[in-house]
Amino acid sequence: MRFQAKRCGVQFSPPSIILIYQQLDTNKVRKRIIPVRNFSKYSDYNMAAERLKNHPRHKDYLENVSQGQLEKLHIILRDHLQGFSLEHSLASFHLDTDEDLNKLGDDELARKKGQMDELFEKNRKHKDDPDFVYDLEVDFSKPTAERCSWDEESEDDF
Amino acid sequence: MAGDVGSIPELDQQKYDSDQQVKIICLGDSAVGKSKLIERFLLDEYRPQQLSTYALTLYKHVADVGNKTVAVDFWDTAGQERFQSMHPSYYHKAHACIMVFDVQRKITYKNLANWYKELREYRPEIPCCVVANKIDADLKVTQRSFNFGKKQGLPFYFVSAADGTNVVKMFRDMIKRAVDYKQNPSDFMDEVLQELESFQLEKMEENAEAEDEEQKSDQILSLQ
């Protein structure tokens, strides 16, 4: 890896993905502006992010920027093209742990799942990792487990 | 829809009557990590079949249980849970059920009661377990006890699809219990209930058809 991504963001005009990265051989920090082409308010953010991640000219720079992050930036850009404010977009990613996600539509659910995926990817052990254990067992049984507050105020049938 | 499902080869549920086949279903709210758990267990082995028309994903697996080789089908929802209820064919002939909630979202734990109630309407006797997923987000949750499973006499697992904790153990246990359940001939009540179930389904279909007929004649009448 020759480039270490530091930050990755989006710019509305002209539509582009901005990457701040460190060049590892010289330790210099640089900014790369990647124009987003052929992307309209009807475009598929999923495909656009995948295309960018595999783009021959940019993929080396984007190696440690997750697909999820690129999707998120494309969603923000698409929201902007549809006339939504940045505040609206950012609020839509916010995960309210009390919200019933069963009630959301496909697009809204994808935004929340994207947020959860960030944590999943962060904690994920890949099967190629040196310390990967397929059959990882941990015994959590404790005689003195504290009662979970989620069980209070329960109805009788629960 | 029940008739349609039968005509798709992947969904031919007759096969689950054979000794070497078990069907294990997953239940739980949207985004609790049901698919990710199955994918962690199967790793590269998985090639899911998306049956989007039925909001359903099937994962096939071959397991060795004792000295037998068993083909396991894992049934996973693909958004169907958003209707707060599953189609009866999802439960039909299932031999075990894995119920999942997200330790970060209380509502997914509370909703287990609804899922369990629906499960028992269709499958009163099959083995079932409660799975607390995403413990990697905050390991402290493993010091708490979640009583829903205990109250129902169900085994409970703290797992993480991300780092793999207890995922393989849980699936192996459940496959074994599914096979045991199937081999247990004393479970007479279940067979009777199954018979009754299909009998009632047939009846319902007949009624539905009769209603259709009535509606059609109503339409004809109103046209005249």
Side-chain angles (χ1 to χ4, degrees), chain A residues 95-106 109 113 116-117 119-121 123-127 132-140 142 144-158, chain B residues 29-31 36 40-44 81-82 84 101-107 109-113 134-137 139 142-148 151-152 158 161-169 172:
Chain A
L95 196 61
D96 173 1
T97 51
D98 290 331
E99 191 177 5
D100 188 346
L101 300 187
N102 292 336
K103 297 197 165 75
L104 298 184
D106 283 339
L109 184 62
K113 277 191 171 180
M116 294 181 192
D117 278 349
L119 183 73
F120 178 80
E121 289 299 336
N123 293 342
R124 186 175 194 177
K125 283 264 183 293
H126 287 269
K127 67 169 177 31
F132 178 82
V133 180
Y134 173 63
D135 188 359
L136 178 65
E137 269 185 47
V138 183
D139 186 4
F140 294 108
K142 274 204 201 87
T144 54
E146 59 181 276
R147 200 160 167 257
C148 175
S149 63
W150 289 2
D151 285 314
E152 283 156 21
E153 98 238 17
S154 276
E155 314 83 73
D156 286 332
D157 63 333
F158 196 76
Chain B
D29 281 9
S30 296
K36 285 206 158 66
R40 172 57 178 76
F41 174 61
L42 300 180
L43 289 182
D44 292 339
E81 67 273 40
R82 270 181 278 161
Q84 310 271 338
F101 74 99
D102 174 351
V103 293
Q104 296 205 287
R105 290 187 292 135
K106 179 178 174 177
I107 188 158
Y109 178 66
K110 288 290 175 191
N111 279 337
L112 287 181
K134 307 193 190 179
I135 57 164
D136 54 279
L139 269 176
T142 61
Q143 290 165 11
R144 307 197 320 213
S145 77
F146 294 85
N147 282 327
F148 175 71
K151 263 192 181 165
Q152 311 289 346
F158 279 118
D163 66 25
T165 307
N166 293 336
V167 174
V168 174
K169 179 183 168 41
R172 284 191 182 145

